[in-house]
Amino acid sequence: MIKIKYRIYLVMSLSSHIKEVLVLSFPGFLKKLVDIIIPSRMIATFFWIGYLPEWQSHWAAFFTIPLVSLIVYFTVGFSSLVSIAQVLLITSAALLLLGLLGIYTFQKTIFSENRYEVTIHVVFGQCLMLALSVPPVTQIVAQVFLFNSFLCDRFLNCAGWFLRVSTYFVAGLIPYFTFRLIDIVKPWPSCWIERDYHNAVSNMFEGFCNAVYATLLLYLVTFMVFDLLLIDVVEFYTRVFHGLF
């Protein structure tokens, strides 16, 4: 009788230990499974750029430009500005969805309190700014090309490939620095969002606001300096959205 009671006690004790192990390990297992299915860490930190010691947002925005350039090159090429704008808008929409899902999952499974690790909203904002700024960027590329051609003809005797590479590099830096300026200054509501909120929606909305401000600033400068007309911009994006929808 004593042996039977002892065996029952052992079985009950063993079952309770198994339950404790399952309860403790299942959430960890579930987190790892979700992280495998949805690479939230990679998405939220934009290929782990968020783990750099300094200047995470600067690097994220900087690498966005060659990334979206490669996407455009391998999808529609650079022959049609309308197609380029459409691809950039689609890429921005994809980044928005990935950012919302990635940040939400990242914060739920990793439990990170460091807001600087999350950089996908910067990538989304930079890409959206480029998508909304195709006409002024085109004007900038043309003017930079003329200036570089003048320097090469008069002073440097550049090769053709160097002229093209330097033109696109310098022209790409202008929207980059414009977006970074807005992201650093953080006009309302970006400053309010960053101060009071830190979730998927607030991060992506901050990127959207910064993109809008940076786009307006770039258009303002282009309207003042170059021969860009508002009616041309409206006509251009009418064709862009007509092709999308």
Side-chain angles (χ1 to χ4, degrees):
M1 189 68 180
I2 296 176
K3 290 183 178 181
I4 295 175
K5 289 183 178 180
Y6 181 70
R7 289 176 181 175
I8 294 174
Y9 170 76
L10 286 178
V11 171
M12 293 180 64
S13 177
L14 181 61
S15 63
S16 65
H17 283 300
I18 292 174
K19 287 181 180 179
E20 289 179 3
V21 170
L22 289 175
V23 168
L24 291 175
S25 62
F26 182 72
F29 169 76
L30 187 61
K31 291 175 186 177
K32 291 182 179 179
L33 181 63
V34 171
D35 202 32
I36 292 173
I37 298 174
I38 304 173
S40 58
R41 190 193 301 266
M42 183 185 71
I43 294 173
T45 62
F46 189 54
F47 297 99
W48 302 280
I49 287 179
Y51 290 121
L52 292 175
E54 297 290 342
W55 298 353
Q56 298 94 330
S57 297
H58 296 282
W59 287 114
F62 181 79
F63 283 113
T64 301
I65 296 177
L67 174 64
V68 297
S69 299
L70 288 174
I71 293 174
V72 169
Y73 176 77
F74 286 109
T75 52
V76 296
F78 296 102
S79 58
S80 172
L81 294 178
V82 173
S83 299
I84 291 173
Q86 290 171 343
V87 170
L88 291 175
L89 285 171
I90 294 172
T91 305
S92 300
L95 287 171
L96 175 61
L97 295 176
L98 284 174
L100 290 171
L101 182 61
I103 295 174
Y104 176 80
T105 309
F106 177 74
Q107 292 178 336
K108 291 296 183 182
T109 57
I110 309 299
F111 299 108
S112 174
E113 296 294 335
N114 187 357
R115 66 169 59 248
Y116 298 106
E117 292 178 355
V118 177
T119 54
I120 185 63
H121 64 293
V122 178
V123 179
F124 162 68
Q126 182 71 80
C127 183
L128 181 61
M129 181 212 168
L130 292 173
L132 299 175
S133 305
V134 172
V137 170
T138 305
Q139 289 283 339
I140 292 170
V141 169
Q143 297 300 322
V144 171
F145 180 80
L146 291 176
F147 180 73
N148 287 352
S149 299
F150 172 78
L151 292 179
C152 288
D153 292 339
R154 294 295 183 90
F155 305 105
L156 302 177
N157 193 21
C158 307
W161 67 267
F162 180 81
L163 176 61
R164 291 190 295 271
V165 170
S166 61
T167 297
Y168 288 122
F169 179 75
V170 174
L173 289 178
I174 294 176
Y176 165 74
F177 281 118
T178 305
F179 182 78
R180 292 309 307 142
L181 175 64
I182 295 298
D183 193 32
I184 293 171
V185 174
K186 293 190 183 301
W188 190 91
S190 296
C191 57
W192 166 65
I193 293 171
E194 186 184 48
R195 184 185 69 244
D196 296 339
Y197 298 95
H198 181 43
N199 54 56
V201 176
S202 67
N203 276 275
M204 300 310 291
F205 186 64
E206 179 189 345
F208 173 80
C209 293
N210 291 339
V212 172
Y213 276 114
T215 302
L216 293 176
L217 178 59
L218 189 63
Y219 270 106
L220 178 62
V221 173
T222 311
F223 286 143
M224 294 172 60
V225 177
F226 304 128
D227 297 328
L228 183 63
L229 300 176
L230 180 59
I231 188 172
D232 294 333
V233 176
V234 173
E235 181 183 350
F236 175 79
Y237 279 102
T238 300
R239 286 186 289 149
V240 169
F241 287 105
H242 179 74
L244 283 175
F245 302 107

